[in-house]
Amino acid sequence: MSCCSETIKVTESTPLLSDAPFNCIGQCIKVLNVNSTTFSTIRSGVNELVYLEIVLKKESDLSVVSNQCLKKLRKHFESEDINLIDDDALKHSDEYDVFTTTLHLTGMYCIKCTTAVEKLLLNDTRVKFVETFLKPTQKVVFKHESSLDLRDIKSKIEGLGFVVVGQPETNNEKLYEVKSEANAQPNKQKTIIHLNGMSCASCVNSLESIFKSTRAFDLPDTSVSVSLFPQKVVAEYYSNSIDEKTLIKKCVDAGFDVILSHTESLLAEDSSKKKVEFLVFGMTCSSCVATLENILRVDGVEDVSVNLLTKKAEIAYDTSKIGPRELLDIILDAGFEAELYKSNDSNFLKEMEEEVFRGVTRETFISLLLATPCQFILGWRFFKGAYVALFKLKSANMDVLVVLGTSSAYFYSIYTITKNVYNDSTKDGKIFFETSVFLIFFILFGRYLEALAKGKTLETITKLLTLKPDRATLINLDAEFNEVNQSEIHVDLVELGDFLKIFPGSRFPTDGIVVKGESICDESILSGESFPVSKKVGDTCFAGTVNQSGVLLIKASKVGSETALARIVKLVEDAQTSKAPIQSLVDKISRIFVPFVVTCSILTFVTWNIICNTYPEVVPSTVTQFEFCLSFAISVLVIACPCALGLAIPTAENVLAFNKLNTIKRLVGLMENQPEDVLVNVVGALGACAKSVEGRSSIRESNGITPLVNLLTGTNQALLVNVTVAVGESALDTDSMAIIDRLDGVRLLWSLLKSPNPHVQASAAWAISPCIEHAKDAGEMVRSFVGGLELIVSLLKSENVEVLASVCAAIANIARDEENLAVITDHGVVPMLAKLSNTRNDKLRKHLSEAIARCCHWGNNRVAFGTASAVAPLVKYLRSPDEEVHRSTARALHQLSMDPDNCITMHEHGVVQLLLGMVGSTDTALQEAAAGTIGNIRRLALASEKAAMA
């Protein structure tokens, strides 16, 4: 339609608001009847001028309408300085020239920075508009008159502390335009933007000021509000002045994250105008959104909004031209799946059925991601067990059945996915990933429960074993039963008929008969009766019970494994390892169970094949006959897998497997004529095997002790570390220790203490401890090493914590012999141990405390430790979270508390409060040591009170 136009000029003399000229435009729109007159361009010029270009229909009288508009504006503004001007003359005037300049900056990081720059520029009246950006690049865009000096502006901005990068970018353009279609009223819209990142009222005020400084919100009937709870912006504006993308950009530039936005029209809808919402499935990116919006812009569709996040397409349409069915067909023809949206629908399952790849739904893809690590990481132990069973032991155990069942379910699902991808269909076949996951979980959970039960039984055995003391006081009597001398020996060296002295508070090392003295004993560990039992000459005492009062002399009647305590321990062990009749029956069944299940699975597959050949109609159209029959065979395997839970019984599987495979014997054979790099791994494996009783016995029976001792003369550092570990573990077996001693293995270990390698030193020292504990005559053996005691004491000067801990452990065992204790005392062991007392390493604390406790048994060593300031640091050890540190420290404090000065030091550092909490411990050794220490402190306090009263 052709049209004519006229331009009205509103000058600065009109009584406008301070933010003119843009506010003037809004007033002009309000004054004039926009329904009959359309403004195609409203532009604000320089020098506070506003130009209104009036566009009219051709049949209208331009002069009449323009004069009417002129009168209305003059009346409203109460000014005669509003005139019609020649539009062509205006376009060639200087007033029409406005420049836009962009300056790129560095140093702007927040709203305060942008506000400072904007305030600086707007102070110059030649600047008409300013907008700053923080993202993606820091820049300021401002519109100004041609007379503005950009060099002066650059200097002022740099004066604020910012840096202007590069040269200004300037171009000539109209300052502001608001365009609308002919004969159409500007559409008023409402946009809601949900944000993240606002934390206080200052954020709200800053964001509101940014929006209100935008000219679009100076128009009548427009508003913008920002709320902190919830974090959102609600803006009402005219669509021809600003849009949703600009609003979002301002939020992002201000430093906030935009989560979701929504825009709706506020104009009254015509009865023929309707909206419809579709749920669209299959959109994966913004390109899909753009494609869908473009294909929906057909005749009759007035507005289209597609949201990728909510999967919704909102379409405004004219019912006289198009309907929802035609719109749905357009979406479907484009390759998407869609349906009408209902607000109360649960769309989770539909979203899970979306394709994320050709023939692969979201549900299938997630199942594959979750099942794969479960099958091959958590289930790796079953694969390894099945391999050993089939190819090493030549039998089929439950691991084989678990692997068959879970792997069948997993790989059948993989086959189904591959087929769907090839056929581009999500309907062909089923997946069974969840079957594999649940089976592995339940079987592992059953094994965890089994391990938990074994652990509790092992804990019971360990507690029983701790009740037996390590040492016994042997008494030599003359013919008249008078005491000749006494000595402390290891309890394993006590023989039938030996006379032993039992002090108050000590435990009986063996079963015996009282031959001298009277006392009361606590036998609650055997009888459960907490009331003490009196003992006199002729009464029987039992190992592990506690002598509470007098000194007793007993004659050993049962030693070693014949004591009542040892028999109780053996009963507990037998109860764990022995099999009930039902378990024996299960063992017999398990030998044929796996082959039976596999056979049933194969027969199921064959049977269903026969049925399908006879009655082809039973096979579903979505799968092949092979797949249909295979699913039944897999079901048999899967259903049989949980039987492994019922067949899980306490067995020493690893030991039995090693013995059956002769692994240890083969490892021993590999120690001859092998390169050192091979020997390192072989000896390391033997060291690991020696950690169990069965492993130590197997190494000895395989004649492995001799080659191990011979390797102690080597020079390969890694090999020496592994050899010392293997020899040390083997020394825990008495018979193996005898072989080591005969081969002079302990002397070789001692010589390794001179090694410059701290790892070899530490490993050798750790190995020496069990050798001393289980040697037949440990004291004499140690004394036979010339300079050996001086050497091991000198290692206390090491800076390696592992070396220090291992040497302290060795010294604790050496100090069991009085002569050796006297020698190391002369070599200055006390001040060296005291110097280490400030350590914070719990491992060193444990063995250092044991060494101090043992060294207190000689001469004035208790006093010497106190003089060397070792007592106060030991009290701090009781605050350690390690219970073993508590036990060894309490023993050391008990020995040190026998000196009055040490008692005073302990009391000053709060030892009583710390020990009181340990008196009720279930650890008997800790309980006794704590009670003994507190008793010594109290006795000193009572003695002091009596002395003061006297």
Side-chain angles (χ1 to χ4, degrees):
M1 178 185 295
S2 61
C3 59
C4 53
S5 66
E6 189 76 73
T7 299
I8 299 177
K9 172 179 163 183
V10 184
T11 67
E12 59 182 345
S13 62
T14 57
L16 305 180
L17 298 177
S18 59
D19 57 352
F22 195 77
N23 190 51
C24 176
I25 297 176
Q27 294 184 45
C28 293
I29 293 175
K30 188 175 181 179
V31 171
L32 302 176
N33 186 357
V34 295
N35 290 325
S36 60
T37 306
T38 301
F39 299 94
S40 66
T41 305
I42 304 176
R43 56 179 182 268
S44 60
V46 297
N47 298 326
E48 305 296 331
L49 301 181
V50 173
Y51 301 97
L52 305 179
E53 184 179 355
I54 304 174
V55 181
L56 303 174
K57 298 179 181 179
K58 184 176 182 181
E59 59 269 18
S60 300
D61 190 341
L62 177 61
S63 60
V64 174
V65 175
S66 60
N67 286 325
Q68 290 176 352
C69 292
L70 191 62
K71 290 179 181 180
K72 288 182 181 181
L73 292 174
R74 287 177 175 176
K75 182 179 179 181
H76 175 75
F77 291 110
E78 297 180 356
S79 173
E80 296 298 325
D81 196 10
I82 300 178
N83 303 299
L84 294 174
I85 65 171
D86 182 15
D87 192 52
D88 292 333
L90 171 67
K91 293 181 179 179
H92 294 88
S93 67
D94 293 336
E95 292 180 346
Y96 192 78
D97 289 333
V98 177
F99 293 88
T100 300
T101 298
T102 301
L103 294 178
H104 295 274
L105 308 178
T106 59
M108 290 197 306
Y109 303 107
C110 61
I111 295 177
K112 289 184 178 180
C113 299
T114 59
T115 303
V117 174
E118 292 175 356
K119 185 176 180 181
L120 171 68
L121 292 172
L122 290 173
N123 283 337
D124 194 317
T125 57
R126 292 168 295 180
V127 177
K128 304 305 176 182
F129 173 77
V130 179
E131 188 170 10
T132 53
F133 301 86
L134 292 176
K135 299 177 181 179
T137 58
Q138 299 177 20
K139 64 181 179 179
V140 56
V141 179
F142 57 99
K143 301 181 184 293
H144 59 89
E145 299 177 18
S146 58
S147 61
L148 184 68
D149 187 354
L150 294 179
R151 287 176 297 181
D152 181 54
I153 293 294
K154 178 180 178 183
S155 176
K156 289 180 179 180
I157 292 177
E158 290 181 341
L160 294 176
F162 306 109
V163 179
V164 178
V165 181
Q167 297 299 321
E169 301 173 2
T170 305
N171 63 313
N172 177 243
E173 61 179 20
K174 297 178 183 178
L175 183 64
Y176 192 82
E177 285 189 344
V178 180
K179 296 183 178 179
S180 63
E181 296 179 3
N183 299 322
Q185 182 178 355
N187 181 26
K188 190 176 181 182
Q189 294 182 328
K190 178 180 180 181
T191 295
I192 300 176
I193 305 174
H194 295 270
L195 305 176
N196 186 24
M198 290 196 297
S199 57
C200 60
S202 177
C203 299
V204 174
N205 295 333
S206 300
L207 192 57
E208 279 188 347
S209 63
I210 291 173
F211 282 118
K212 289 180 179 178
S213 65
T214 305
R215 298 179 179 181
F217 294 104
D218 287 334
L219 295 173
D221 300 325
T222 60
S223 65
V224 61
S225 62
V226 182
S227 60
L228 183 59
F229 301 105
Q231 301 181 37
K232 69 177 182 179
V233 177
V234 179
E236 295 184 4
Y237 56 91
Y238 290 103
S239 59
N240 56 359
S241 62
I242 200 170
D243 57 13
E244 179 183 350
K245 293 182 179 179
T246 305
L247 295 174
I248 292 174
K249 185 176 183 299
K250 289 185 178 295
C251 294
V252 173
D253 289 343
F256 303 107
D257 297 328
V258 175
I259 300 175
L260 186 66
S261 65
H262 173 68
T263 300
E264 60 185 17
S265 176
L266 296 179
L267 294 180
E269 295 184 357
D270 192 276
S271 58
S272 63
K273 308 294 193 262
K274 284 190 177 182
K275 286 185 178 179
V276 65
E277 291 183 342
F278 292 101
L279 273 176
V280 182
F281 303 101
M283 294 189 297
T284 58
C285 61
S286 57
S287 177
C288 298
V289 173
T291 301
L292 187 58
E293 287 182 344
N294 289 334
I295 63 173
L296 285 172
R297 296 188 188 279
V298 297
D299 186 30
V301 174
E302 298 184 350
D303 186 39
V304 179
S305 176
V306 180
N307 192 308
L308 178 63
L309 184 64
T310 59
K311 310 293 184 185
K312 287 170 57 179
E314 183 178 314
I315 306 171
Y317 64 97
D318 187 344
T319 55
S320 61
K321 296 182 179 180
I322 197 169
R325 290 195 300 272
E326 290 87 345
L327 294 173
L328 180 61
D329 291 338
I330 292 174
I331 298 174
L332 296 177
D333 292 341
F336 301 102
E337 295 183 7
E339 62 182 29
L340 282 173
Y341 172 76
K342 295 181 181 179
S343 59
N344 59 347
D345 278 351
S346 175
N347 301 305
F348 176 75
L349 294 178
K350 294 182 177 62
E351 291 182 3
M352 293 300 290
E353 293 175 358
E354 287 186 53
E355 284 192 43
V356 296
F357 186 69
R358 174 188 171 101
V360 180
T361 64
R362 191 187 304 273
E363 177 187 6
T364 302
F365 183 69
I366 294 174
S367 299
L368 175 62
L369 289 182
L370 295 177
T372 300
C374 183
Q375 177 73 22
F376 297 107
I377 297 178
L378 296 180
W380 176 248
R381 65 190 67 192
F382 301 115
F383 284 94
K384 186 166 61 175
Y387 174 79
V388 172
L390 291 175
F391 298 100
K392 300 294 184 180
L393 303 179
K394 306 301 181 183
S395 64
N397 60 7
M398 297 309 300
D399 286 337
V400 175
L401 188 58
V402 172
V403 168
L404 284 175
T406 58
S407 298
S408 299
Y410 179 86
F411 287 108
Y412 180 79
S413 302
I414 294 293
Y415 165 77
T416 301
I417 291 176
T418 306
K419 179 183 175 184
N420 288 343
V421 170
Y422 180 78
N423 295 331
D424 192 15
S425 171
T426 60
K427 307 298 183 182
D428 295 343
K430 296 182 178 180
I431 60 170
F432 300 100
F433 287 123
E434 73 283 354
T435 303
S436 169
V437 173
F438 278 110
L439 282 176
I440 291 175
F441 167 75
F442 284 122
I443 294 172
L444 289 180
F445 183 68
R447 293 193 176 183
Y448 165 75
L449 295 178
E450 176 192 346
L452 200 63
K454 287 182 178 180
K456 290 182 179 180
T457 306
L458 182 61
E459 183 181 357
T460 303
I461 296 174
T462 304
K463 287 182 178 179
L464 288 173
L465 290 173
T466 58
L467 299 176
K468 181 181 177 182
D470 295 332
R471 313 293 290 183
T473 303
L474 178 65
I475 304 298
N476 294 322
L477 303 176
D478 57 15
E480 298 178 357
F481 283 90
N482 294 320
E483 181 178 336
V484 176
N485 56 43
Q486 67 179 34
S487 61
E488 189 176 341
I489 64 173
H490 196 277
V491 69
D492 292 337
L493 300 178
V494 177
E495 300 176 355
L496 288 175
D498 284 346
F499 291 93
L500 307 175
K501 182 180 287 188
I502 312 299
F503 296 97
S506 300
R507 292 186 178 274
F508 289 88
T510 65
D511 291 358
I513 299 173
V514 178
V515 296
K516 184 178 180 180
E518 293 184 358
S519 180
I520 56 175
C521 298
D522 180 6
E523 296 183 349
S524 58
I525 64 165
L526 297 178
S527 63
E529 177 57 58
S530 60
F531 194 79
V533 180
S534 61
K535 297 292 180 182
K536 58 183 182 298
V537 176
D539 289 341
T540 301
C541 300
F542 301 98
T545 58
V546 182
N547 179 25
Q548 292 189 332
S549 57
V551 178
L552 294 177
L553 183 66
I554 68 170
K555 182 180 180 181
S557 59
K558 292 181 180 179
V559 297
S561 61
E562 298 300 322
T563 64
L565 179 63
R567 291 200 301 272
I568 292 174
V569 172
K570 186 153 190 326
L571 285 174
V572 176
E573 290 177 339
D574 291 344
Q576 184 190 25
T577 57
S578 61
K579 297 179 182 179
I582 186 62
Q583 288 179 321
S584 299
L585 178 61
V586 166
D587 283 344
K588 294 179 181 179
I589 295 175
S590 66
R591 294 190 186 98
I592 62 171
F593 182 74
V594 176
F596 174 75
V597 169
V598 174
T599 303
C600 289
S601 177
I602 295 172
L603 288 175
T604 301
F605 179 79
V606 173
T607 302
W608 273 101
N609 261 300
I610 296 173
I611 294 174
C612 292
N613 288 329
T614 307
Y615 306 99
E617 63 273 11
V618 301
V619 180
S621 58
T622 56
V623 295
T624 63
Q625 179 178 323
F626 171 78
E627 295 169 354
F628 182 67
C629 299
L630 184 62
S631 64
F632 288 102
I634 292 174
S635 299
V636 174
L637 290 176
V638 168
I639 291 172
C641 281
C643 297
L645 290 174
L647 297 176
I649 57 174
T651 57
E653 292 179 333
N654 291 339
V655 176
L656 291 175
F658 268 51
N659 288 337
K660 190 167 184 177
L661 296 172
N662 292 322
T663 304
I664 294 177
K665 187 174 181 179
R666 293 178 182 178
L667 288 172
V668 170
L670 288 174
M671 285 194 291
E672 297 180 2
N673 302 321
Q674 294 291 339
E676 288 186 342
D677 56 343
V678 175
L679 286 174
V680 170
N681 296 321
V682 171
V683 175
L686 285 173
C689 293
K691 294 182 182 296
S692 66
V693 177
E694 294 83 359
R696 289 192 286 271
S697 299
S698 297
I699 291 174
R700 173 173 43 80
E701 293 169 358
S702 301
N703 299 320
I705 303 298
T706 300
L708 283 174
V709 172
N710 292 337
L711 289 175
L712 290 172
T713 59
T715 57
N716 185 294
Q717 303 298 298
L719 180 58
L720 286 175
V721 170
N722 286 351
V723 170
T724 50
V725 170
V727 172
E729 293 291 345
S730 298
L732 295 173
D733 179 73
T734 305
D735 294 332
S736 297
M737 180 58 220
I739 300 173
I740 294 171
D741 191 13
R742 188 179 72 248
L743 297 172
D744 213 10
V746 183
R747 185 184 301 276
L748 293 173
L749 286 172
W750 219 285
S751 67
L752 292 176
L753 296 177
K754 300 177 183 179
S755 171
N757 190 325
H759 299 292
V760 176
Q761 287 179 333
S763 185
W766 286 123
I768 287 173
S769 291
C771 290
I772 296 175
E773 288 182 20
H774 296 85
K776 188 174 183 180
D777 190 352
E780 186 60 35
M781 177 188 70
V782 172
R783 284 191 294 275
S784 67
F785 305 142
V786 179
L789 294 176
E790 182 180 2
L791 171 62
I792 201 163
V793 171
S794 67
L795 288 178
L796 291 174
K797 299 177 182 178
S798 174
E799 296 181 356
N800 187 284
V801 175
E802 191 70 18
V803 172
L804 293 174
S806 60
V807 169
C808 286
I811 289 176
N813 285 288
I814 292 170
R816 294 176 184 271
D817 183 87
E818 287 187 355
E819 292 185 37
N820 293 334
L821 176 55
V823 174
I824 62 175
T825 300
D826 292 340
H827 287 306
V829 71
V830 172
M832 289 186 178
L833 291 175
K835 190 176 180 180
L836 299 174
S837 60
N838 288 308
T839 181
R840 294 187 177 183
N841 184 279
D842 280 345
K843 188 174 184 179
L844 178 54
R845 283 178 169 183
K846 172 191 171 185
H847 297 290
L848 176 61
S849 300
E850 292 175 348
I852 291 175
R854 290 292 178 183
C855 290
C856 285
H857 287 84
W858 179 256
N860 292 324
N861 283 355
R862 294 187 182 91
V863 178
F865 279 119
T867 305
S869 302
V871 178
L874 286 179
V875 176
K876 296 179 182 178
Y877 291 7
L878 297 176
R879 293 186 174 92
S880 168
D882 193 330
E883 293 184 359
E884 292 186 357
V885 174
H886 295 170
R887 187 187 307 114
S888 60
T889 303
R891 288 174 178 170
L893 292 174
H894 184 206
Q895 293 296 325
L896 291 169
S897 66
M898 296 180 186
D899 175 69
D901 291 335
N902 292 340
C903 285
I904 295 172
T905 303
M906 293 178 196
H907 190 270
E908 289 175 347
H909 288 81
V911 74
V912 175
Q913 286 297 113
L914 295 171
L915 290 176
L916 282 174
M918 299 177 184
V919 171
S921 172
T922 56
D923 188 330
T924 308
L926 174 59
Q927 182 184 23
E928 292 176 354
T933 305
I934 295 173
N936 290 337
I937 295 174
R938 287 179 176 173
R939 279 191 288 272
L940 177 62
L942 290 173
S944 300
E945 290 179 4
K946 289 180 181 179
M949 293 175 63

